[in-house]
Amino acid sequence: MTTPGSFVRSLIAVALAAASLAPRAVAEEVGTLGYYRFPAIHGETVVFTAEGDLWRTTLAGGLAQRLTTHLGEETRPAISPDGRWVAYSATYEGPTEAYVMPVSGG
């Protein structure tokens, strides 16, 4: 039986593993190391914030795909339970608001 403490430790381990893969993935894409934060994980998909934009990669690592390119800052992605959508916060027209787009980008 899984205890609440072991479940939380497992979640933290997965989040740390995903966060450690993100810098390598973006570094391959843009050629530099940077500050990568807010990893959201669903299955093998990881969406995170870097350079004020959202990026997608896999838990296995590799090249990251930039999902957003707006001048405003996108942060705090959350992947829907079915893995098809990503919700995030962004400052496009003044205050921070919530947005949704397909996890494949768009």
Side-chain angles (χ1 to χ4, degrees):
M1 183 160 136
T2 303
T3 64
S6 65
F7 179 72
V8 170
R9 283 191 296 277
S10 296
L11 285 177
I12 291 170
V14 169
L16 289 174
S20 70
L21 293 173
R24 184 174 353 124
V26 174
E28 291 174 10
E29 174 74 16
V30 298
T32 61
L33 292 178
Y35 188 58
Y36 313 100
R37 47 195 189 139
F38 306 119
I41 302 168
H42 182 275
E44 293 295 312
T45 302
V46 179
V47 177
F48 60 94
T49 299
E51 302 175 358
D53 290 317
L54 298 182
W55 296 74
R56 185 185 72 222
T57 190
T58 66
L59 282 176
L63 286 178
Q65 176 188 11
R66 188 185 297 248
L67 299 177
T68 59
T69 59
H70 194 276
L71 293 177
E73 183 176 336
E74 295 94 8
T75 61
R76 302 190 187 278
I79 302 172
S80 65
D82 65 6
R84 295 178 53 210
W85 301 93
V86 59
Y88 59 97
S89 299
T91 53
Y92 292 147
E93 301 172 357
T96 302
E97 298 179 305
Y99 295 85
V100 177
M101 71 174 175
V103 77
S104 59

